[in-house]
């Protein structure tokens, strides 16, 4: 076990902490920091050998740490209103102000997304310094084998956390173990299993913010488009996102597709408006273009490879003057509402986050505490709250962590 600060004999019980946080990702780090800042004695256990693994890789290594504008509509959940309380009490500006006070420079990209000017490692290092300054006991490379309640009959029970070789006690336990996305980084369903252990429900986890796969008969054509990108509108049902779409060897990716993937369900198709800013019907009727082939006209407004492949799939190219009015209407409709059958996703291995998770019906929206087990809290990606692409999931991690930490610190201080 990665234990630089304390050596214990196997199975020896450590001193009791106010709080044990399971998981050293964004939510766990923020919770440990906020609780310790308010005087709580905190132990943080991380399964990997480093904290903040997802922080490091996010945003191309620059960490899209929040968004200027965060609202409940930017999140998916079986209970869309659950996230409102935490998000209202910890707004993006509070995290931005912390970054500014620590001299971490940042910049804004499209749609309010905020990124570090330097490396995402700056944020990880900031948390590392804060935990050290506040006296948080950090243990890495720790496998949690079991969590149980001691003194359950008493008014103030204790959590016993058994790891390989050591056991720890704490008055409160926060589960910040994340979801199932990116298993090569150590993602597991530990948090969901723990929730079920304490009688809580779990909404079936599924990959979100993930590339989509097209039906096999179309993959050869899509493979020829691999690397082609364009601004488009992706739609699934009534949900739409206007961002870039990227064609891959097996299907579709890019921001618009990652966004819409969180709403996609098996059996559904997605629809693309390939020319959201172009009156293609008017262009098809332009007199001076009538001798041009359809694919060449489309190539004036679309990437050439896409124009050619689209014609192979949907309408054999020919000079515009040979295309009648009804056919032109059909071409226009298809270009603005191109239906693509989707057979699946690239799975948790390529998903940026996990949708689903601990059922919010079994959590307090104000404190993130379990309704079935007092003193047990779930935060971040482990919970059935999933943000859009663009810093929203980090903001949920920060906000849900602060909600739990402040509630715990208040209880700790009231019984001190």
């Amino acid at each position: 076990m990665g234990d630089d600060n304390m050596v214990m004999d196997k199975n020896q019980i450590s001193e009791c902490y106010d709080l044990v946080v399971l998981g050293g990702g964004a939510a766990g780090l923020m919770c440990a920091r906020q609780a310790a800042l308010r005087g709580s004695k905190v132990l943080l256990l991380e399964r990997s050998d480093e904290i903040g693994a997802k922080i490091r890789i996010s945003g191309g290594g620059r960490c899209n740490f929040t968004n200027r504008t965060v609202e409940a509509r930017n999140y998916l959940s079986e209970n869309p209103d659950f996230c409102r309380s935490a998000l209202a009490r910890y707004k993006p500006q509070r995290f931005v102000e912390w970054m500014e006070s620590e001299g971490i420079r940042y910049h804004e990209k499209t749609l309010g997304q905020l990124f570090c000017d330097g490396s995402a490692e700056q944020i990880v290092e900031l948390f590392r310094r804060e935990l050290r300054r506040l006296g948080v006991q950090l243990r890495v490379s720790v496998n949690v084998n079991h969590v149980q309640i001691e003194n359950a009959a008493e008014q103030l029970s204790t959590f016993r956390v058994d790891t390989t070789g050591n056991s720890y006690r704490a008055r409160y336990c926060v589960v910040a173990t994340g979801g199932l996305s990116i298993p090569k980084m150590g993602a597991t369903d530990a948090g969901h299993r723990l929730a079920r252990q304490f009688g809580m429900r779990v909404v079936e986890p599924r990959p979100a913010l993930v590339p989509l796969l097209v039906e096999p008969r179309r993959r050869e054509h899509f493979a020829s488009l691999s690397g082609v990108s364009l601004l488009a509108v992706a739609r699934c049902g009534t949900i739409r996102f206007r961002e870039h779409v990227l064609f891959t060897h097996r299907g579709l990716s890019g921001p618009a597709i990652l966004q819409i993937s969180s709403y996609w369900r098996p059996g559904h198709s997605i629809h693309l408006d390939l020319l959201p800013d172009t009156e293609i019907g008017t262009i098809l009727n332009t007199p001076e273009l009538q001798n041009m082939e359809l694919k060449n006209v489309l190539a004036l407004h679309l990437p050439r490879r896409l124009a050619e492949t689209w014609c192979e799939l949907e309408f054999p190219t020919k000079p515009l003057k040979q295309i009648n009015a009804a056919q032109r209407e059909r071409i226009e409709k298809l270009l603005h509402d191109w239906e693509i059958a989707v057979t699946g996703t690239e799975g948790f291995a390529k998903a940026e986050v996990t949708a689903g998770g601990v059922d919010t019906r079994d959590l307090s929206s104000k404190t993130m505490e379990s309704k079935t087990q007092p003193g047990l809290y779930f935060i971040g990606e482990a919970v059935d709250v999933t943000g859009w692409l663009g810093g929203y999931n980090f903001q949920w991690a920060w906000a849900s962590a602060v909600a739990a930490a402040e509630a715990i610190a208040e209880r700790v201080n009231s019984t001190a």
Side-chain angles (χ1 to χ4, degrees):
M1 183 178 74
D3 190 340
D4 298 329
N5 302 315
M6 180 170 60
V7 177
M8 297 186 297
D9 295 332
K10 186 176 181 180
N11 299 325
Q12 181 179 337
I13 301 294
S14 74
E15 58 185 309
C16 187
Y17 293 86
D18 292 321
L19 167 63
V20 59
V21 179
L22 308 183
L29 291 170
M30 178 61 96
C31 186
R33 186 246 181 185
Q34 291 297 114
L37 198 61
R38 288 161 174 74
S40 299
K41 184 177 181 180
V42 182
L43 170 68
L44 176 61
L45 303 179
E46 166 55 36
R47 184 173 181 269
S48 302
D49 58 2
E50 291 280 354
I51 59 172
K54 278 193 175 181
I55 295 176
R56 285 190 177 86
I57 68 168
S58 69
R62 291 182 184 271
C63 188
N64 180 192
F65 56 84
T66 191
N67 196 288
R68 286 286 189 196
T69 305
V70 174
E71 302 175 6
R73 72 181 186 89
N74 303 126
Y75 295 86
L76 293 79
S77 174
E78 293 289 303
N79 177 4
D81 292 324
F82 179 83
C83 62
R84 290 183 184 276
S85 177
L87 292 173
R89 286 180 291 128
Y90 190 84
K91 296 182 179 295
Q93 188 57 29
R94 286 184 61 183
F95 193 85
V96 169
E97 289 170 354
W98 184 34
M99 297 294 99
E100 291 175 341
S101 71
E102 296 292 336
I104 296 179
R105 300 178 65 85
Y106 61 91
H107 58 277
E108 182 174 342
K109 288 191 177 180
T110 58
L111 305 174
Q113 302 170 28
L114 300 183
F115 292 78
C116 296
D117 283 357
S119 166
E121 184 64 36
Q122 292 176 283
I123 293 180
V124 177
E125 182 55 35
L126 173 58
F127 274 113
R128 187 180 287 111
R129 291 198 309 269
E130 281 287 277
L131 299 189
R132 188 181 302 118
R133 179 180 72 84
L134 295 168
V136 173
Q137 298 297 300
L138 172 63
R139 308 284 182 265
V140 297
S141 301
V142 174
N143 287 313
V144 174
N145 299 324
H146 190 58
V147 177
Q148 59 184 318
I149 298 294
E150 294 184 334
N151 310 316
E154 299 180 11
Q155 185 174 5
L156 187 61
S157 58
T158 301
F159 290 88
R160 171 172 169 157
V161 179
D162 295 323
T163 70
T164 303
N166 295 297
S167 296
Y168 305 92
R169 284 196 179 103
R171 294 164 61 186
Y172 304 99
C173 178
V174 170
V175 181
T177 51
L180 301 176
S181 56
I182 319 181
K184 68 180 181 181
M185 296 182 65
T188 73
D189 65 345
H192 303 157
R193 285 187 279 113
L194 190 56
R196 292 189 180 99
Q197 176 189 327
F198 287 98
M200 302 174 70
R201 291 164 286 189
V202 174
V203 176
E204 184 66 28
R206 65 184 190 280
L209 300 183
V210 61
L212 298 176
L213 303 175
V214 299
E215 55 187 339
R217 69 184 181 89
R218 287 201 169 190
R219 285 185 191 170
E220 181 180 347
H221 290 93
F222 274 62
S224 71
L225 294 173
S226 182
V228 171
S229 175
L230 78 161
L231 179 67
V233 174
R235 176 175 67 84
C236 184
T238 61
I239 305 298
R240 300 170 183 266
F241 289 97
R242 178 193 169 97
E243 294 187 64
H244 276 81
V245 169
L246 173 68
F247 289 84
T248 71
H249 278 89
R250 288 153 53 88
L252 294 165
S253 188
I257 297 302
L258 298 184
Q259 296 279 40
I260 212 70
S261 72
S262 298
Y263 295 86
W264 177 83
R265 294 292 188 279
H268 292 186
S269 297
I270 66 163
H271 297 251
L272 296 181
D273 182 347
L274 297 175
L275 295 166
D277 299 320
T278 303
E279 293 289 340
I280 192 63
T282 301
I283 292 169
L284 294 177
N285 288 299
T286 301
E288 54 266 35
L289 298 180
Q290 295 308 300
N291 288 323
M292 290 183 64
E293 291 237 346
L294 174 62
K295 68 178 181 181
N296 293 328
V297 173
L298 296 184
L300 298 174
H301 304 278
L302 295 171
R304 175 162 289 279
R305 273 195 287 160
L306 176 57
E308 293 173 349
T309 300
W310 188 90
C311 286
E312 290 175 11
L313 288 169
E314 302 297 346
F315 195 94
T317 187
K318 62 178 73 173
L320 293 189
K321 63 186 179 183
Q322 296 179 19
I323 302 174
N324 64 37
Q327 291 172 328
R328 293 180 191 212
E329 287 184 10
R330 177 170 174 268
I331 291 169
E332 181 180 12
K333 181 181 185 305
L334 285 172
L335 287 167
H336 286 306
D337 190 24
W338 190 25
E339 182 175 3
I340 299 177
V342 174
T343 59
T345 75
E346 291 280 6
F348 287 113
K350 297 292 181 67
E352 294 197 15
V353 294
T354 301
V358 177
D359 198 319
T360 58
R361 290 176 296 177
D362 295 331
L363 292 172
S364 163
S365 62
K366 182 179 180 181
T367 66
M368 310 305 295
E369 185 176 18
S370 167
K371 294 179 180 179
T372 67
Q373 176 54 61
L376 180 64
Y377 299 73
F378 290 81
I379 60 176
E381 193 181 346
V383 179
D384 176 34
V385 174
T386 306
W388 290 1
L389 189 73
Y392 298 102
N393 285 293
F394 275 123
Q395 187 59 33
W396 170 246
W398 315 139
S400 60
V402 170
E406 291 183 346
I408 291 167
E410 182 178 345
R411 294 172 70 175
V412 168
N413 294 333
S414 70
T415 58

